[in-house]
Amino acid sequence: MDVPPYISSGANSRAHYSLVRKVECADSPQAANQFLLDEVEAIRRQLTDPALSLEKCREHLITLLYCHMTVSHGFLPLNTFDFALSHAVTLAEAGRSTSQKRMGYLFCAEVMPADHELQLMLINTLRKDLEHEDTSRICLALENVVVFSNQDLIPAIQARLSDLLSHNSPHVRRRALLGYRSLGLPHADLLSNIDLKVVSRCKDPDQQVVGAALSLCVRMAQIKQPVSNARELVNDIFVTTLTSSAHDKPEFICTMLSALLVVGLSEDNVPILLQLIRSSSKSHERGVLRGSFALLTNIAPDRLLSVNLESPVHHIRPLLISRHPNDVYLFLSCLECIDPVLWAGTSNDIPAVLDGWEVERIMQLLDLSDTLVRKTTLRLLHRVDPNIVSIFYSQAVRNIPSSLSVTDSNERALRFLEIITVQFGEDGELYARELKDILLRLEQASLDGQPVLEAAIDKVLTYTRYAGIDFGIGFSTSLLTFLVDPVTRLSQTMMVIVAALATEQCGKLSIRPLDILEGFASRLPKSTREPDFVFR
């Protein structure tokens, strides 16, 4: 690997650069791990020097952190770097510069376990830095409050953190709000007494502070402790921001749109939202455009029609013919936010917005290599008319070639899984039936006999794990029912999926474990079912 010269490498020291060079140029991962271990041991000895300066300690901690993040997982014991924690806490406490203190905090954040005995010393250091007069030290401490969501931290800093919401520096106010947002998720009671201060910060003259306050409002709404009149407050900010002549940063507008997505957009502000869609499409602010369309999801079609004669879809049509995949995906994801009745021509009262060639272009997206674009297109078409996806699926099944390699079989299996997930992703029984049939068809079309399609197995099992309890029960029960039925044919890929589910679900479903074992035994080759001896 080409390693840049030291002057442009970003290395902290010559020793750090030398180590990185040796690791990157190592002949094998084992050799690289050995270089890292040797460096850890060398630094262990150097840290025992009583004359060690704080700056040298900082350099050693940077190198140790590089070793910690680069070494292969499991090569070193979990407590390998514990010897340096006391030095990191000391550096955070006694560091003369912000860079020294930052390195001490960072090393502790990355390496120190949550229940380590030095946590209390670190919390005490954080408290002292929060009470310091230097703004840079307060900001550094607040940044680490966001990282250390420790139960012992709250009583030590709660009063000071509340005071910092009214600090003179906007940098401090912003970080204090973010600190509350971080601590509020595991400790919701912490947010119960700052309602008025959050409202005040939503009217802060600094826009970054307002953005942090909006993100805290979202967090408070998510944990069921919303700010008083949060909906009206955020909508007022929305109106004030977009009706003023000042140019606002897209990042702030995106934050505001995210907050509105949680607290809700007032129907009176729908015209302003449509104007934002129009302006952001012209200025190519893609994040603002996507966030604006996301708000349309919760607006009734009748309301949109009453305030706008032109469909919002008109403003995103140029994205469909873009050569950039990101633009095409943006078009699809925005279109997915709007009720199809407003653009697809499914109602006699509302004409179709897209021309015939544009609809054809959307259909062509089903054959792209981009997985995300294909999935979004399938969801979109299924929402317009489920029959469109059903016809496409039937044609794809009929057109399976008679001789497929394992690679081709895996690729086609993944594409078929995308379709049946959209069609039957909430019905475990139907999903299982379609999966059984398509895997059997692919096995019959394979050049390699009865291949096991690993990509399909991974996809199915992953989806089953996260699809929900009802889906999982229906899916597992259906597959195990196929297994115990001697007439039902199962592909080799399906047998692996069934075996994995049987291991996890055996005894939890209505099918007897003995029937499951007999189902497996009946499908094994005869030579493997006749043991030479019998267990007694």
Side-chain angles (χ1 to χ4, degrees):
M1 178 179 178
D2 294 333
V3 179
Y6 171 71
I7 193 67
S8 60
S9 66
N12 180 67
S13 62
R14 289 284 182 181
H16 184 199
Y17 176 76
S18 176
L19 175 62
V20 173
R21 189 179 183 86
K22 286 193 294 183
V23 170
E24 296 297 333
C25 298
D27 297 331
S28 65
Q30 293 80 9
N33 287 334
Q34 190 58 49
F35 287 138
L36 294 168
L37 176 59
D38 293 343
E39 185 67 22
V40 170
E41 293 302 322
I43 293 178
R44 185 196 298 269
R45 292 189 296 271
Q46 294 174 38
L47 287 178
T48 60
D49 183 1
L52 185 71
S53 67
L54 292 175
E55 184 58 29
K56 198 66 178 177
C57 179
R58 171 182 168 274
E59 292 179 7
H60 288 326
L61 290 180
I62 291 175
T63 305
L64 282 177
L65 195 56
Y66 168 77
C67 295
H68 173 73
M69 303 185 72
T70 307
V71 70
S72 298
H73 179 71
F75 180 76
L76 297 175
L78 293 177
N79 61 349
T80 298
F81 298 91
D82 284 4
F83 71 91
L85 289 174
S86 60
H87 299 277
V89 173
T90 300
L91 189 63
E93 166 69 26
R96 298 190 183 92
S97 64
T98 302
S99 62
Q100 289 177 353
K101 295 179 70 66
R102 178 178 287 111
M103 190 59 227
Y105 280 127
L106 178 61
F107 191 89
C108 292
E110 294 293 334
V111 178
M112 184 182 290
D115 57 349
H116 197 275
E117 59 186 8
L118 292 177
Q119 278 280 353
L120 292 179
M121 292 182 62
L122 190 64
I123 289 172
N124 189 51
T125 301
L126 275 171
R127 180 186 59 78
K128 290 180 180 178
D129 284 341
L130 287 175
E131 294 173 352
H132 203 275
E133 296 180 356
D134 184 10
T135 299
S136 63
R137 289 184 65 169
I138 298 174
C139 288
L140 178 61
L142 287 171
E143 289 171 1
N144 284 278
V145 166
V146 174
V147 176
F148 294 100
S149 297
N150 191 300
Q151 180 67 43
D152 297 324
L153 177 64
I154 295 176
I157 69 167
Q158 184 172 1
R160 178 57 173 166
L161 190 61
S162 177
D163 293 339
L164 292 177
L165 290 174
S166 305
H167 195 273
N168 291 332
S169 169
H171 304 294
V172 172
R173 296 197 299 272
R174 173 177 172 271
R175 285 167 173 80
L177 289 163
L178 296 177
Y180 269 109
R181 188 187 68 171
S182 178
L183 293 171
L185 187 59
H187 312 292
D189 294 342
L190 182 66
L191 305 179
S192 59
N193 299 320
I194 61 168
D195 194 292
L196 294 178
K197 289 191 175 182
V198 174
V199 172
S200 176
R201 295 285 69 82
C202 284
K203 302 173 183 178
D204 197 279
D206 188 281
Q207 196 173 80
Q208 288 190 331
V209 176
V210 177
L214 288 173
S215 66
L216 180 55
C217 284
V218 170
R219 176 58 51 82
M220 294 173 73
Q222 290 171 338
I223 62 175
K224 311 302 181 185
Q225 289 199 9
V227 175
S228 301
N229 301 318
R231 190 169 186 266
E232 292 79 2
L233 177 64
V234 178
N235 274 274
D236 288 345
I237 296 173
F238 177 70
V239 173
T240 303
T241 301
L242 296 183
T243 56
S244 65
S245 58
H247 177 71
D248 292 291
K249 294 182 179 179
E251 295 83 357
F252 174 73
I253 297 178
C254 288
T255 300
M256 183 170 53
L257 293 173
S258 298
L260 284 170
L261 195 60
V262 175
V263 302
L265 177 72
S266 171
E267 286 195 359
D268 295 338
N269 294 333
V270 171
I272 299 176
L273 177 65
L274 295 175
Q275 177 60 39
L276 179 61
I277 289 176
R278 186 180 299 110
S279 62
S280 60
S281 64
K282 292 179 180 179
S283 60
H284 305 290
E285 297 292 351
R286 289 166 173 77
V288 175
L289 183 63
R290 179 61 181 84
S292 301
F293 268 89
L295 285 175
L296 296 179
T297 305
N298 300 321
I299 299 176
D302 293 342
R303 176 56 180 157
L304 283 177
L305 290 172
S306 67
V307 299
N308 195 45
L309 297 176
E310 185 182 33
S311 171
V313 177
H314 283 293
H315 303 298
I316 59 173
R317 292 171 72 178
L319 296 172
L320 178 60
I321 58 176
S322 173
R323 296 183 178 180
H324 300 287
N326 288 344
D327 288 342
V328 176
Y329 173 73
L330 177 60
F331 169 83
L332 293 171
S333 62
C334 289
L335 199 60
E336 196 176 15
C337 296
I338 303 180
D339 193 311
V341 73
L342 294 173
W343 61 269
T346 57
S347 171
N348 295 330
D349 300 329
I350 305 175
V353 176
L354 302 178
D355 295 333
W357 69 268
E358 290 173 309
V359 176
E360 183 179 351
R361 169 62 176 158
I362 292 176
M363 292 299 298
Q364 292 172 354
L365 298 178
L366 293 172
D367 296 321
L368 288 187
S369 59
D370 192 303
T371 303
L372 192 56
V373 169
R374 288 199 311 269
K375 289 180 178 180
T376 309
T377 305
L378 284 168
R379 290 197 307 269
L380 185 65
L381 293 174
H382 188 266
R383 193 178 176 199
V384 173
D385 186 355
N387 290 326
I388 298 176
V389 179
S390 297
I391 294 172
F392 176 76
Y393 178 63
S394 300
Q395 292 175 344
V397 172
R398 285 197 302 269
N399 294 331
I400 295 177
S402 57
S403 54
L404 289 172
S405 66
V406 175
T407 301
D408 291 338
S409 296
N410 264 307
E411 176 62 27
R412 286 181 179 269
L414 292 178
R415 296 205 177 198
F416 284 128
L417 285 173
E418 293 170 3
I419 300 173
I420 66 175
T421 299
V422 169
Q423 290 180 304
F424 314 112
E426 297 181 359
D427 190 321
E429 295 182 16
L430 293 177
Y431 187 90
R433 187 178 302 120
E434 290 297 328
L435 179 66
K436 171 181 71 69
D437 293 342
I438 195 59
L439 290 180
L440 196 58
R441 290 288 297 271
L442 290 172
E443 184 178 274
Q444 293 168 348
S446 175
L447 282 171
D448 302 304
Q450 297 179 327
V452 174
L453 306 180
E454 296 183 12
I457 294 170
D458 180 69
K459 194 74 173 179
V460 170
L461 294 179
T462 301
Y463 181 76
T464 304
R465 179 172 294 275
Y466 297 106
I469 297 176
D470 292 339
F471 176 91
I473 292 174
F475 180 66
S476 302
T477 302
S478 297
L479 290 191
L480 293 177
T481 301
F482 297 151
L483 175 70
V484 301
D485 181 9
V487 179
T488 303
R489 293 184 59 192
L490 298 178
S491 66
Q492 295 302 305
T493 301
M494 181 61 85
M495 286 299 296
V496 176
I497 295 173
V498 172
L501 291 175
T503 303
E504 184 174 338
Q505 301 292 340
C506 185
K508 300 178 182 179
L509 305 175
S510 58
I511 303 173
R512 295 191 310 156
L514 181 60
D515 293 339
I516 295 174
L517 289 175
E518 290 178 348
F520 279 118
S522 67
R523 296 176 186 274
L524 294 174
K526 184 176 181 181
S527 59
T528 65
R529 291 190 284 113
E530 295 180 351
D532 296 332
F533 56 89
V534 178
F535 289 104
R536 297 188 184 277

